[in-house]
Amino acid sequence: MIRPPDVVDVTPGPMLLSGIADGPSLAAHRVRQGPLPEADAGALLAVIAPLAVRGRGGAGFPLARKIDTVLAHRSRRPGRRPVVVVNAAEGEPASAKDSALLDVAPHLVLDGAVLAARALGAGTVHLVTSVDRPWAGAAAARAVAERDDHGIRWSRHEAQARFVSGQARAVLELLSGRSGLPVTSWVPESMSGHRGRPTLLSNAESFAHLAAAVHVGADRYASYGTPQEPGTTLLTLTEPAGPDGSFGGSSGGSGRAGVDGVPVVGVRVVEVCHGDAASQVLSAQALANPLLVGGFHGAWLSPRDVPALRWSNAHLRALGASLGAGCVITLARGQCPVEETARIVTYLAAESAGRCGPCFNGLPALADEVRGLAEGADTRRRIAELTGLVRGRGACAHPDGTARIVTSLLTTLDGEVEEHLDGRCGCRALSTVGAA
Amino acid sequence: MSAGAGDVVLRVDWPECRARGLCAELLPERIVLDEWGYPVVLGPVSPALQALAREAADACPRRALHLRPA
Amino acid sequence: MTAPLLWYLNRGTGIALLVVFSVTVVLGVLATGRSSTPLWPRFVTQGLHRTLAALSVLLLVGHAVTAVVDEYVDIRWWQAFVPFGGTYERWWLGLGALALDVTLLIVATSLARARIPHRVWFAVHLTTYAAWAAGVAHGIGIGTDSQRGWLAAITLGCVVAVAVAALARVVDVVRSRPRRSVAPAPSTTTLGELFPATSTQAAPRVTSGGASTRVAAPTGSRR
């Protein structure tokens, strides 16, 4: 079980994070952004659809299409009124952007939720944070208490501290008073979600983008980013300290003080424009090593491709990766991606909800084989067998994501894997008996 | 296999499935069991196999097998 | 109307029902097992269970009808359904009526299986054990032949078979329970321990209180 970071450094950014130095209060937010505009469904869609604003929970589904679906399935009957859910459960420990947003710019998120609720005719907005980030829940509560949106009822929930707690159906189960674990979804929640109602469920950053697009206008929003991917995106950068204890990137950041004052791991949330060069925010050490993009369900990038990396899905797709929820993890000097993948997969296997046979059987078996690989045994054939067996055979994408990071290790970093098996990579796993 | 006209798709409700294995016995043309006893769906169900597929769905003690339009 | 035939039919359906219902229950338990062989696939056990269950219902209906129609003993038609208020052997008859009611409920839910949630179907299906027990008690108490040795032996055989099957089911359920989702252990590892730095210092635990984000000083624009 991995705890999320206790302290997160947030760097001011061009749009979502532009006003954070002024504090999170509603007054400061209104000074900066102005009053909340009135926008019916048509006006809202007219702004965000051309901007191709996508959900930031990992799947990247176009927000406009979700809203369209909710509109198509709503009615005024008491049981069919739509519902808005802001998902900041953030089950991935390497992701901190939604929690950070609630702490430093909550009213941008809440503005987005209110805009969506008004356009859809929803009366309730549910806000979900996680039990192991109590500061995010407290910040959300403070922000909600400041607001006076007419006709909107706020409802706060706390999800369990599990990796799968942030999954959409798991969140809906939590809202219904059930276990907060994923179940099979026969139709998208925008058609039938919370208590069968059309539900707009998106993560906190998505709602912030919605509000930002409406506040600053489509033209200014599109002035950031690329024509194909307008706008910005939040990244959570997890980086071990360099040998001198500092962290990389021109944005600074100083991580947590370790024993004797030497920082160990720094977690930073930054806002980048789509298409920006990764070298602007990553240290030289990060640029010279394999990079994990997309968090624990993401994909490895080869050191060959990292120096020229750009934060755009078009660029990343060509490398077999995608931005996902924007978690980027760098390795420390001397760390081996095989060993790290083994640790991550062991963690992911333990985080299975235990409901779907292929997952709670297949992931521990996969973790065993990847640990075997880390210890020097060539288990690649069995690994390929297992990744094929778990993909698509679960109620949620947990097995698919786990298969993804393992497959990317074996394909993108095949050279590093060969080096490791030959004993040439010099990592600690081969010199000590047994892995973590 | 890709779906043709009139095909239906077999979908498993994974949290409900308990690897009882009746589906694979009744529709071996489209369902085999993995090493832990859980069903692997091999492809869509043509109209010729649909009666058998419906039997397989009906036989599941947990009602975990469903037929859906392609 | 009365005739010895009705009485024999009533007794005959009752005894046949005892055996067939007991076999149905045992097959139901066997159907939950995981083992199968090419000679005896699981769907055969399930098919037999369903078929014998249907046969049991037919026998039950015949048993109740013959009891009501036969005027030798005064059993009104409603007394086949309502477990109290009867005159002839009130308590034993009531148990039979109870068994019939529960059986009807089980049949109804099984026919509507596709439309009701599995949990509901399963909960009702569990009451089969109660229906079976009520039926057996009814037979022992009200049955004309229950003193005869051969029937006592048959009854004992059925009771033992169902008891063993039920026990095996309970053992199986208890043994397979812990396999499912386990509550996560309290978090002890930090993200830093997952990615250890080159130093060997353990990652500190920073207790959070107050703001846990630090806003860094603004830097120049990075467009």
Side-chain angles (χ1 to χ4, degrees), chain A residues 1-3 6-10 12 103-104 223 255-257 259 265 280 296 329 333 335 340 343 353 355 360, chain C residues 180-182 184-185 187-189 191-196 198 201 204-206 212-216 218-219 222-223:
Chain A
M1 182 58 185
I2 297 177
R3 267 172 41 202
D6 290 306
V7 178
V8 174
D9 285 306
V10 187
D103 206 35
V104 301
S223 70
R256 290 178 293 134
V259 178
V265 162
Q280 288 175 359
F296 292 177
I329 299 171
R333 191 190 310 276
Q335 263 188 310
E340 287 321 306
R343 274 190 237 204
R355 292 183 152 182
F360 70 76
Chain C
R180 311 294 292 174
S181 105
V182 178
S187 47
T188 51
T189 319
L191 209 52
E193 282 169 6
L194 184 71
F195 301 100
T198 50
Q201 292 163 348
R205 278 145 181 66
V206 176
S212 282
T213 53
R214 286 195 305 231
V215 177
T219 60
R222 288 189 329 280
R223 286 273 326 273

Side-chain angles (χ1 to χ4, degrees), chain A residues 349-362:
Chain A
E351 285 293 313
S352 166
R355 292 183 152 182
C356 306
C359 179
F360 70 76
N361 284 298

Side-chain angles (χ1 to χ4, degrees), chain A residues 321-419:
Chain A
S322 70
L323 281 172
C327 313
V328 178
I329 299 171
T330 67
L331 298 179
R333 191 190 310 276
Q335 263 188 310
C336 172
V338 181
E339 195 189 25
E340 287 321 306
T341 307
R343 274 190 237 204
I344 290 172
V345 176
T346 302
Y347 164 75
L348 291 173
E351 285 293 313
S352 166
R355 292 183 152 182
C356 306
C359 179
F360 70 76
N361 284 298
L363 294 200
L366 184 61
D368 277 345
E369 300 298 330
V370 180
R371 278 199 303 275
L373 190 72
E375 285 162 21
D378 189 351
T379 54
R380 285 179 286 185
R381 180 124 60 90
R382 176 69 175 143
I383 288 177
E385 206 174 42
L386 286 168
T387 51
L389 263 183
V390 301
R391 251 190 224 104
R393 296 174 70 226
C396 73
H398 190 59
D400 303 65
T402 308
R404 184 176 189 207
I405 183 178
V406 173
T407 305
S408 78
L409 176 76
L410 262 44
T411 51
T412 309
L413 296 186
D414 56 345
E416 280 79 356
V417 172
E418 288 285 354
E419 272 184 20

